[in-house]
Amino acid sequence: MNSKYMNSTFVISSAIVGLLAISNVTFAAAADEKKPEKEKCYGIAKKSLNDCGTAKHTCAGKASADDLPDEWKYAPKGSCEKMGGSLKAGSAASDKKS
């Protein structure tokens, strides 16, 4: 009688662990799908708010002024040029004004 109880407990525990594992995988996949696509947008980063390094420095947060054409931030895909930026370094809209 003990072995039947132990076997039933083992089967139920295994089923619960399996369901939890499947739900975690499903949750992780759903989280990945919800992340919006982003692209590097040059010329929109404000002073000290850039996302990564350039030829002048190697760290995020080191932009020395607003809207420099070689500094970039991630922007939602398709929105960069609408914000006055460029997908290429050195050709931001603010650079073209002069």
Side-chain angles (χ1 to χ4, degrees):
M1 193 154 122
N2 273 344
S3 66
K4 285 184 180 182
Y5 176 74
M6 295 288 284
N7 285 338
S8 297
T9 303
F10 178 75
V11 169
I12 291 171
S13 297
S14 297
I16 290 171
V17 168
L19 288 172
L20 289 173
I22 289 171
S23 67
N24 284 341
V25 168
T26 303
F27 178 74
D32 284 342
E33 289 175 12
K34 292 180 182 179
K35 290 181 183 176
E37 288 187 54
K38 294 185 177 188
E39 58 194 1
K40 287 183 182 180
C41 185
Y42 293 89
I44 64 164
K46 300 303 177 196
K47 182 177 180 179
S48 301
L49 297 176
N50 58 307
D51 281 337
C52 200
T54 67
K56 296 177 185 175
H57 58 79
T58 59
C59 297
K62 298 285 185 176
S64 60
D66 290 350
D67 305 325
L68 293 174
D70 60 336
E71 299 289 354
W72 61 272
K73 283 193 68 67
Y74 282 114
K77 191 168 188 169
S79 68
C80 178
E81 291 173 340
K82 294 175 188 172
M83 294 188 290
S86 173
L87 299 176
K88 296 180 182 176
S91 58
S94 61
D95 191 37
K96 295 176 186 173
K97 290 179 185 175
S98 4

